[in-house]
Amino acid sequence: MFIKPVKKKETSMPEDKTIESKSLDPAVRQMIRKAGEKGITTVWDRYEAMQPQCGYGDTGLCCRHCLQGPCRINPFGDEPKTGICGATADVMVARGLDRAIAAGTAAHSGHAKHLAHTMMKMASGKAPAYSIKDSVKLKSVAGRLGIAIAGRKDMDIAKDVAAAALADFHEKETPVLWAATVVTEGRVKALSRLGAVPKGIDHEVSEIMHRTLYGVDADPVNLLLAGLRCGVADLAGCYMGTDLADILFGTPVPVVSRANMGTLKKDMVNIAVHGHNPVLSEMIVAMADEMKKEARDAGAKGVNIVGICCTGNELMERHAIPSCTHSVSQEMALLTGAVDAIVVDYQCIMPSLVTVAECMGSKVITTMDICKISGAEHVQFAEETAAENAKEAIRSAIDTFKKRKGHPVDIPDIESTVVAGFSAESIVAALAKVDAKDPLKPLVDNIKNGNIRGICLFAGCNNVKVAQDRNFVEIARRMLKENVLVVATGCGAGALMRHGFMDPANVGELCGNTLKAVLTAIGEANGLGGPLPPVIHLGSCVDNSRAVAIVVAVANYLGVDIDKLPVVASAAEAVSEKAVSIGVYAVAAGLPTHVGVMVPVLGSPTVTQVLTEKIKDLTGGYFIVDLDPASSADKLLAAIDERRKGLGI
Amino acid sequence: MFIKPVKKKETSMPEDKTIESKSLDPAVRQMIRKAGEKGITTVWDRYEAMQPQCGYGDTGLCCRHCLQGPCRINPFGDEPKTGICGATADVMVARGLDRAIAAGTAAHSGHAKHLAHTMMKMASGKAPAYSIKDSVKLKSVAGRLGIAIAGRKDMDIAKDVAAAALADFHEKETPVLWAATVVTEGRVKALSRLGAVPKGIDHEVSEIMHRTLYGVDADPVNLLLAGLRCGVADLAGCYMGTDLADILFGTPVPVVSRANMGTLKKDMVNIAVHGHNPVLSEMIVAMADEMKKEARDAGAKGVNIVGICCTGNELMERHAIPSCTHSVSQEMALLTGAVDAIVVDYQCIMPSLVTVAECMGSKVITTMDICKISGAEHVQFAEETAAENAKEAIRSAIDTFKKRKGHPVDIPDIESTVVAGFSAESIVAALAKVDAKDPLKPLVDNIKNGNIRGICLFAGCNNVKVAQDRNFVEIARRMLKENVLVVATGCGAGALMRHGFMDPANVGELCGNTLKAVLTAIGEANGLGGPLPPVIHLGSCVDNSRAVAIVVAVANYLGVDIDKLPVVASAAEAVSEKAVSIGVYAVAAGLPTHVGVMVPVLGSPTVTQVLTEKIKDLTGGYFIVDLDPASSADKLLAAIDERRKGLGI
């Protein structure tokens, strides 16, 4: 049986009002208008065509885990009350959620595994384009892992670190190192009590797939605890991703950059690098300079690299490369007509890009074996030949430029200033300028005295179901006014940077007085002649690990566990299964974690209650699911205040 | 939006006709009638309540891989034509199929990993209840893997085999040993050319989860090739499962046993062991004898162990333990009122068992951490304490017996004789009685001269969408008449054994003349005074590996690759994602592979065409999807004849 989609009534709202409901970003709005004029289908059109969306899928009450299905459960108590096998709503929802966590974990850790291979090849002399950019971080990571450092060559240490990383993927008697060594001791104990310390990242993913098979686990709480362990494996994948990228490409230090489509340049070969893993994009950046002459020969003023999504964050935090746009608006970059090629690695890449690129005379270049797109150009990327591969991709973009040269482009004249590049290390360094002996003291003192009411991390994607950036912007605005220190990663960071939240000039307008004073004091101690930006850019979505590093440092400083700290997280516009697994590890770490879109769990009151309430007794963290930004902000603030009360501050 | 299920019209068919449409098995029919009388809901009722099933899910045109969904694609060309991200029907279907393959692979290999741990604990002296039961097989497996044997103790070899098994789960530079060493050299080359040789079992599962994430792989052929590689990893998991179980519990030799519910005994403590992994059930069998006295003290005549699903096959092939029932009729065992406990490990266990057990005064005992069921009793099983755990479960069943003692039971007076226990080794041994010097010669000669027209493997489950056993019985009947040698595993074997297809007495009625002559000649050479059974029982679903071992031996003997042999496979009533991954490795191995239920791929003409046609050019194997047993048999015979023609025989 097929649902007959019921067409929505034509709206009587004026066109601009409709566009407002799609994105808060004026550049994006301009391009949505253009897409409408040109009759190019975008994500918002496809979303509209999908209405009404299936309520069973939406609530998690749909199961396709065997060939007796598809099954659905009626949420109103009528038949069908269970799946054909007898799986209840609780089981169905928990199984579905577990598979999402497994997919998110597989993706983050796949990215990290890729970096581990790059490092191993580099250390074995097989990847000449790569080197160790941060020897201090290499040693710090090695030390944390228990790898010998003294008197050893960097390359030998790197080999051991890469080997330890690869070993973390398979089951062993000891826990996953990148999980057990990156949180507080108390957290390791708490998670151990729950059986939630992973033994191997791929092992946990595989085990989730096994236990969610037809006729295996049918106890929702047991399923959720396994999901929690897999979420902790996701933390390991993220943390490993950050560590290895920092060693190979440098640990970020603050840089000034720009964001939004105004960063595209009419007269240059514009290459948007999109995806997640810096293994590719770093090479594109490195080779862009070498390819300048070829670009000039083609009539361009040079090669202009911009980022989309987390690749944008990775390049921005390390090289001040500007970010063009993020997440749900990725097609809009192509609508400018100025992007000569989108070069992608993997994750969050809409297959629709190929169609839009065709319409706009641009192209999509895929580079990874695991991520091809029908209709895209493929340049197979390998570490051994990275420089050549990068040149080939750039050359292809130059070819596109030759064809578009002279044709009109529509680059929205919109960009914002961004101060990015805050790693845990660079934050400690900035704090050290205030108190060289005891760098964390100024931060902790200001938390204690209430100048900083708490810390809120924004992470995750832009979801087409939300007017792009609205949840991020509204909640962050409120947090800052309430003197909450805001940090951000991924497309959450992308949203905030495009709206000026990472421009120090806006501290006065955005921040409450005490927070403003703290940001200014640190900024001035660092010779900036003004404050740090209102929102601290921590990097890409694997870089949520940096937030973990910071809260772990604060927790250890205070001698309490993470679940006692006035720290909250929000994936206000989540899309990817990666956002689900990140959310789970945030909760495992002990954080109240807001999700601003519907997660397919509402079909199970049990699962919903465990995730939003009962888990608090186990990890201290819990989910807050709320689609309204104003009440979401209220709840996050209340959670912060509850924690402050608990600490007696 | 929720679909409003449209109630089916009341049928005007007499009750018995309706029951006929549910199962071919008279014992099952009797219990379905009883369930109706008692008002107990069974799988068939739940299936009816699920009608009409969602057409999007049925055709694979539903995606829930991100939080922008759920998405569906209209198969009739109207909107929505793609997912919100732009994923086409081809991408959506291929992604969904890949995740099913990953789940199946994770399950089989999870079972194998469990056995590897058992072997390692045994070899390390930590699991006193276990030992090496087949030292010859241990050495044969070790030899195949390149592990030194000469002059070494069995326990040391076993440790190395277990370590090699565990190492096969993670990515390494060399291929998965249990894949690369178990097929023909030609097959390894063919799969290598396709990039379809796995590097690590869990690694492949994880990679599938990564590439099927939102915004990763969007090339259906690329996705399918990855699925193929994961399918080969599933072969590795299955083969490892068989190898390790044979070493630990003995390689099967032919035994006489019985099947169907008549094997339950009114006056005994009846324990149905259900699931897959012999690690648990072997201990239950081993301890049943010791618990005889406790059972007698409770008023029973003893402890009667029967099997359900693949646990039944595992125990039957090694200990002649009877099989009670299989797959879709598992609830029916409880309806007899004579089962005192169903003791389960994992896979294919309907959660509904708990409800039916409650209604019938019985109980379900779960034993594995990864498979708990709400409402079931849990006895945590560990290799270190296996004997005690098994006793605890048996004791619990004795307690149930005490309560039911004296109450009426309804044990259908139906059972069939089964000759089971054909491993590749025992088949070669049987053939050696015909030609001691060249055991494969009699088999191959009879294939060549047409006395055996070909070989057909039946595997997989019973699906509620098919009258239980109908497809297996109808297709097998035709195959045998056409002198095709039929081998069977899993619940396919279960179906055929319950209908007398494994009783040598039925060779005359079931088999064509030349096949009959061959089966008789081998039987008589082995001193049976009559033929082998019409259908050769190869064991459980991991034991599809035994079929692979046999066809590889034949291929090597003939000096051709597997894809040239007149060998076909059929999962005529498939349910589990494991059946999907088995089907994929059968195709990877080069076999025409029939599936008798709808697989959710029809929404993509591309995927359907690749799987049923184009893949033939790559592996030689391909899928035949046909729901009609008569025409399915025609197609399987035609595939056999095409292969014979290709060989010029």
Side-chain angles (χ1 to χ4, degrees):
Chain A
M1 192 210 52
F2 291 95
I3 315 164
K4 185 92 187 160
V6 183
K7 274 266 169 253
K8 271 186 165 175
K9 277 185 200 161
E10 285 298 318
T11 171
S12 59
M13 284 188 289
E15 191 206 9
D16 273 11
K17 186 77 195 264
T18 310
I19 288 173
E20 270 174 31
S21 74
K22 292 176 179 164
S23 179
L24 253 61
D25 183 330
V28 173
R29 287 179 181 175
Q30 191 176 324
M31 290 302 105
I32 294 176
R33 206 168 290 124
K34 183 174 175 186
E37 286 159 13
K38 290 182 77 84
I40 294 175
T41 300
T42 69
V43 63
W44 289 279
D45 303 310
R46 294 190 298 274
Y47 175 62
E48 200 156 313
M50 200 60 69
Q51 300 311 308
Q53 285 176 279
C54 176
Y56 297 103
D58 230 6
T59 50
L61 293 175
C62 156
C63 179
R64 287 174 52 203
H65 294 199
C66 86
L67 299 178
Q68 296 191 128
C71 289
R72 65 184 180 283
I73 290 176
N74 187 313
F76 306 113
D78 286 337
E79 293 287 353
K81 289 177 183 176
T82 69
I84 290 171
C85 67
T88 60
D90 296 335
V91 170
M92 209 178 260
V93 165
R95 274 187 195 155
L97 183 69
D98 268 9
R99 287 208 172 173
I101 298 166
T105 303
H108 282 133
S109 68
H111 166 155
K113 197 192 278 177
H114 189 169
L115 283 161
H117 281 299
T118 306
M119 186 179 278
M120 187 60 96
K121 286 178 185 171
M122 181 273 301
S124 313
K126 290 178 193 160
Y130 299 89
S131 59
I132 295 166
K133 292 273 167 57
D134 189 342
S135 165
V136 174
K137 179 120 190 188
L138 170 68
K139 283 164 190 146
S140 140
V141 171
R144 200 187 69 222
L145 300 170
I147 292 168
I149 305 162
R152 298 184 71 201
K153 285 185 193 152
D154 275 4
M155 281 299 181
D156 294 334
I157 300 172
K159 231 183 231 176
D160 286 356
V161 169
L166 292 170
D168 252 0
F169 285 86
H170 61 84
E171 191 195 16
K172 26 188 191 345
E173 300 209 357
T174 49
V176 168
L177 275 177
W178 259 272
T181 66
V182 304
V183 290
T184 56
E185 274 181 39
R187 194 71 351 208
V188 174
K189 280 182 198 154
L191 294 173
S192 296
R193 276 194 297 272
L194 296 170
V197 178
K199 289 188 201 158
I201 302 172
D202 283 347
H203 168 73
E204 301 300 340
V205 171
S206 222
E207 201 203 85
I208 289 283
M209 294 310 287
H210 183 181
R211 70 162 78 218
T212 55
L213 191 90
Y214 164 67
V216 187
D217 208 348
D219 176 328
V221 174
N222 205 42
L223 281 159
L224 292 176
L225 284 173
L228 192 74
R229 183 167 65 240
C230 194
V232 178
D234 188 52
L235 166 61
C238 287
Y239 215 107
M240 188 191 291
T242 300
D243 277 349
L244 303 188
D246 281 356
I247 295 167
L248 285 170
F249 308 117
T251 304
V253 292
V255 291
V256 183
S257 184
R258 292 158 300 120
N260 220 330
M261 294 185 222
T263 59
L264 294 168
K265 300 297 161 213
K266 184 184 167 188
D267 301 328
M268 296 180 86
V269 176
N270 290 302
I271 298 175
V273 280
H274 178 15
H276 286 77
N277 199 325
V279 165
L280 164 75
S281 53
E282 283 276 341
M283 282 304 118
I284 300 278
V285 170
M287 292 302 125
D289 205 53
E290 281 193 33
M291 297 296 285
K292 225 167 20 185
K293 192 181 167 302
E294 282 190 38
R296 283 186 189 144
D297 291 348
K301 285 189 176 161
V303 178
N304 180 42
I305 309 287
V306 297
I308 295 181
C309 288
C310 278
T311 290
N313 285 313
E314 295 274 352
L315 293 182
M316 179 183 271
E317 67 182 343
R318 295 199 181 86
H319 305 287
I321 296 287
S323 271
C324 177
T325 197
H326 300 90
S327 200
V328 76
S329 55
Q330 55 190 267
E331 295 164 308
M332 300 300 110
L334 288 165
L335 257 297
T336 60
V339 172
D340 296 299
I342 294 199
V343 183
V344 306
D345 50 72
Y346 41 59
Q347 301 168 19
C348 305
I349 295 146
M350 290 188 197
S352 62
L353 285 178
V354 171
T355 318
V356 181
E358 266 172 29
C359 295
M360 298 306 301
S362 180
K363 63 174 64 144
V364 177
I365 301 174
T366 53
T367 59
M368 298 288 154
D369 182 57
I370 65 160
C371 179
K372 295 183 178 176
I373 308 177
S374 305
E377 191 172 303
H378 188 73
V379 173
Q380 184 59 49
F381 185 85
E383 286 94 334
E384 291 83 347
T385 53
E388 279 318 303
N389 305 146
K391 281 187 199 169
E392 188 184 344
I394 297 170
R395 198 165 286 130
S396 181
I398 294 172
D399 280 347
T400 317
F401 177 84
K402 288 178 194 163
K403 288 172 204 147
R404 83 151 163 98
K405 194 174 52 180
H407 292 119
V409 294
D410 291 294
I411 300 176
D413 187 20
I414 293 163
E415 51 183 323
S416 51
T417 297
V418 183
V419 174
F422 291 91
S423 53
E425 293 84 347
S426 68
I427 289 172
V428 171
L431 292 168
K433 292 280 166 67
V434 183
D435 187 335
K437 273 191 185 162
D438 198 359
L440 285 177
K441 192 168 183 293
L443 176 63
V444 171
D445 282 351
N446 278 301
I447 293 173
K448 278 187 184 168
N449 67 20
N451 286 340
I452 294 175
R453 185 164 164 186
I455 300 175
C456 179
L457 163 69
F458 288 96
C461 338
N462 287 135
N463 189 312
V464 70
K465 294 175 182 176
V466 181
Q468 187 186 17
D469 307 335
R470 185 199 63 190
N471 288 0
F472 286 118
V473 164
E474 289 193 22
I475 304 174
R477 198 179 289 276
R478 178 86 186 286
M479 291 289 136
L480 292 172
K481 279 283 176 221
E482 297 287 345
N483 297 302
V484 172
L485 179 66
V486 175
V487 296
T489 61
C491 291
L496 295 170
M497 72 172 70
R498 279 182 285 100
H499 292 277
F501 283 67
M502 294 185 182
D503 183 348
N506 297 329
V507 162
E509 182 210 323
L510 290 170
C511 299
N513 286 332
T514 56
L515 176 64
K516 183 161 52 184
V518 174
L519 293 173
T520 306
I522 301 171
E524 287 183 348
N526 280 271
L528 304 179
L532 295 180
V535 172
I536 306 298
H537 177 270
L538 293 184
S540 66
C541 49
V542 294
D543 292 336
N544 282 306
S545 59
R546 303 195 196 278
V548 173
I550 294 161
V551 296
V552 167
V554 171
N556 285 336
Y557 189 93
L558 282 169
V560 299
D561 200 0
I562 305 166
D563 64 334
K564 301 293 179 289
L565 298 180
V567 178
V568 295
S570 170
E573 307 178 17
V575 170
S576 173
E577 291 169 307
K578 291 181 295 170
V580 177
S581 54
I582 291 172
V584 171
Y585 79 65
V587 169
L591 301 186
T593 301
H594 168 249
V595 184
V597 294
M598 202 43 74
V599 182
V601 299
L602 286 195
S604 163
T606 303
V607 172
T608 305
Q609 201 194 20
V610 168
L611 295 177
T612 58
E613 295 172 29
K614 294 204 169 167
I615 195 160
K616 197 174 175 181
D617 298 332
L618 303 178
T619 71
Y622 53 94
F623 280 102
I624 300 164
V625 182
D626 192 331
L627 278 59
D628 177 65
S631 70
S632 300
D634 287 342
K635 289 172 188 167
L636 289 167
L637 287 166
I640 285 173
D641 290 346
E642 189 191 349
R643 295 284 178 98
R644 292 191 68 87
K645 208 174 155 190
L647 286 172
I649 57 177
Chain B
M1 194 210 52
F2 292 94
I3 313 164
K4 185 92 188 157
V6 182
K7 274 267 170 251
K8 270 186 163 178
K9 277 185 199 162
E10 286 297 318
T11 173
S12 58
M13 284 189 291
E15 191 206 10
D16 273 11
K17 187 77 194 262
T18 310
I19 288 174
E20 270 173 30
S21 73
K22 291 176 180 165
S23 179
L24 253 63
D25 183 329
V28 173
R29 287 180 182 175
Q30 191 177 325
M31 289 302 105
I32 294 176
R33 205 168 292 125
K34 182 174 176 188
E37 286 159 14
K38 290 183 77 83
I40 293 175
T41 300
T42 69
V43 63
W44 288 280
D45 303 309
R46 294 189 298 272
Y47 175 62
E48 200 157 311
M50 200 58 69
Q51 301 311 309
Q53 286 176 279
C54 176
Y56 297 103
D58 230 7
T59 51
L61 292 175
C62 155
C63 179
R64 286 173 53 201
H65 295 200
C66 87
L67 300 179
Q68 296 191 126
C71 289
R72 64 186 181 282
I73 290 176
N74 187 313
F76 306 114
D78 285 338
E79 293 286 355
K81 291 178 181 173
T82 69
I84 289 171
C85 67
T88 60
D90 296 336
V91 170
M92 209 178 262
V93 166
R95 275 187 197 154
L97 183 69
D98 269 10
R99 287 207 173 174
I101 298 167
T105 303
H108 282 134
S109 67
H111 166 154
K113 198 192 277 177
H114 188 169
L115 282 161
H117 281 298
T118 307
M119 186 178 277
M120 187 58 96
K121 287 178 185 171
M122 181 274 299
S124 314
K126 290 178 193 160
Y130 299 90
S131 59
I132 295 166
K133 291 274 168 58
D134 188 341
S135 165
V136 174
K137 179 120 189 189
L138 170 69
K139 283 165 188 145
S140 140
V141 171
R144 201 187 67 223
L145 299 171
I147 292 168
I149 305 162
R152 298 185 71 201
K153 282 183 196 155
D154 275 4
M155 281 299 181
D156 294 334
I157 301 172
K159 230 182 231 178
D160 286 357
V161 169
L166 293 171
D168 251 1
F169 285 85
H170 60 85
E171 190 194 16
K172 23 185 197 339
E173 300 209 356
T174 49
V176 167
L177 275 177
W178 259 272
T181 65
V182 304
V183 289
T184 57
E185 275 183 37
R187 193 69 354 204
V188 175
K189 280 182 197 156
L191 294 173
S192 296
R193 277 194 296 275
L194 297 170
V197 178
K199 289 187 204 160
I201 302 171
D202 283 346
H203 168 73
E204 301 300 340
V205 170
S206 221
E207 201 203 86
I208 289 283
M209 294 310 285
H210 184 181
R211 70 162 78 217
T212 54
L213 191 90
Y214 164 67
V216 187
D217 209 347
D219 176 327
V221 174
N222 205 43
L223 281 159
L224 292 175
L225 284 172
L228 192 73
R229 183 167 65 241
C230 194
V232 178
D234 188 53
L235 166 60
C238 287
Y239 215 108
M240 188 192 290
T242 300
D243 278 349
L244 303 188
D246 282 356
I247 296 168
L248 285 171
F249 307 116
T251 304
V253 292
V255 291
V256 182
S257 184
R258 292 159 301 120
N260 221 331
M261 293 186 224
T263 59
L264 293 168
K265 300 296 160 214
K266 185 185 168 188
D267 301 327
M268 295 181 84
V269 176
N270 290 302
I271 298 176
V273 280
H274 178 15
H276 286 77
N277 199 325
V279 166
L280 164 75
S281 52
E282 284 276 342
M283 283 305 119
I284 299 278
V285 170
M287 292 302 125
D289 205 52
E290 280 194 33
M291 297 295 285
K292 225 171 13 189
K293 193 182 167 299
E294 281 191 39
R296 284 186 189 143
D297 290 348
K301 287 191 175 159
V303 179
N304 181 41
I305 310 287
V306 297
I308 295 182
C309 287
C310 278
T311 290
N313 286 312
E314 295 274 351
L315 293 183
M316 179 182 271
E317 67 181 345
R318 295 200 181 86
H319 304 287
I321 295 287
S323 270
C324 176
T325 197
H326 299 90
S327 200
V328 76
S329 55
Q330 55 190 265
E331 295 163 309
M332 300 300 111
L334 289 166
L335 257 298
T336 60
V339 172
D340 296 299
I342 294 199
V343 183
V344 306
D345 49 72
Y346 40 58
Q347 302 168 19
C348 304
I349 295 147
M350 290 188 197
S352 61
L353 286 179
V354 171
T355 318
V356 180
E358 263 172 32
C359 295
M360 299 305 302
S362 180
K363 62 175 65 143
V364 177
I365 302 174
T366 54
T367 58
M368 299 289 154
D369 180 57
I370 65 160
C371 179
K372 296 183 177 174
I373 307 177
S374 305
E377 190 171 306
H378 187 72
V379 173
Q380 184 61 47
F381 185 85
E383 287 94 333
E384 291 84 347
T385 52
E388 280 317 303
N389 305 146
K391 280 186 199 167
E392 188 183 345
I394 297 170
R395 197 165 286 130
S396 182
I398 293 171
D399 279 346
T400 316
F401 177 84
K402 287 179 194 162
K403 287 172 204 148
R404 83 153 163 95
K405 194 174 50 180
H407 291 117
V409 294
D410 292 295
I411 301 175
D413 187 20
I414 294 164
E415 51 182 323
S416 51
T417 296
V418 183
V419 174
F422 291 91
S423 52
E425 292 84 347
S426 69
I427 290 172
V428 171
L431 291 168
K433 293 280 167 67
V434 183
D435 187 335
K437 273 190 183 164
D438 197 358
L440 284 177
K441 192 168 184 290
L443 176 62
V444 172
D445 282 351
N446 278 301
I447 293 172
K448 278 187 183 169
N449 67 21
N451 285 340
I452 294 175
R453 186 163 162 185
I455 301 174
C456 180
L457 163 69
F458 288 96
C461 339
N462 287 135
N463 188 311
V464 70
K465 294 175 182 177
V466 180
Q468 187 187 17
D469 308 334
R470 185 199 64 190
N471 288 359
F472 286 118
V473 164
E474 289 194 22
I475 304 175
R477 197 179 288 277
R478 179 86 186 285
M479 290 290 137
L480 292 172
K481 280 282 176 219
E482 297 287 343
N483 298 301
V484 172
L485 179 66
V486 175
V487 296
T489 61
C491 291
L496 295 170
M497 74 172 68
R498 278 183 285 100
H499 292 278
F501 283 68
M502 295 185 181
D503 183 349
N506 296 330
V507 161
E509 182 210 325
L510 290 169
C511 299
N513 285 333
T514 57
L515 176 64
K516 183 162 47 182
V518 174
L519 293 173
T520 306
I522 302 171
E524 288 183 347
N526 281 271
L528 304 180
L532 295 180
V535 172
I536 307 297
H537 178 269
L538 294 183
S540 66
C541 50
V542 293
D543 292 336
N544 282 307
S545 60
R546 303 196 197 277
V548 173
I550 294 162
V551 295
V552 166
V554 172
N556 285 336
Y557 189 93
L558 282 169
V560 298
D561 201 359
I562 305 166
D563 64 333
K564 302 292 180 290
L565 298 180
V567 178
V568 296
S570 171
E573 307 178 17
V575 170
S576 173
E577 291 169 309
K578 291 182 294 169
V580 177
S581 55
I582 290 172
V584 171
Y585 79 64
V587 168
L591 302 186
T593 302
H594 167 250
V595 183
V597 295
M598 201 44 73
V599 182
V601 299
L602 287 196
S604 163
T606 303
V607 171
T608 305
Q609 201 193 21
V610 168
L611 295 177
T612 58
E613 295 173 28
K614 294 202 171 170
I615 195 161
K616 196 174 175 180
D617 298 333
L618 304 178
T619 72
Y622 53 94
F623 280 102
I624 300 164
V625 181
D626 192 330
L627 278 58
D628 177 65
S631 70
S632 299
D634 287 342
K635 288 171 189 168
L636 289 167
L637 288 167
I640 284 172
D641 291 345
E642 189 191 348
R643 296 282 178 98
R644 293 191 67 87
K645 209 174 152 189
L647 286 172
I649 58 176

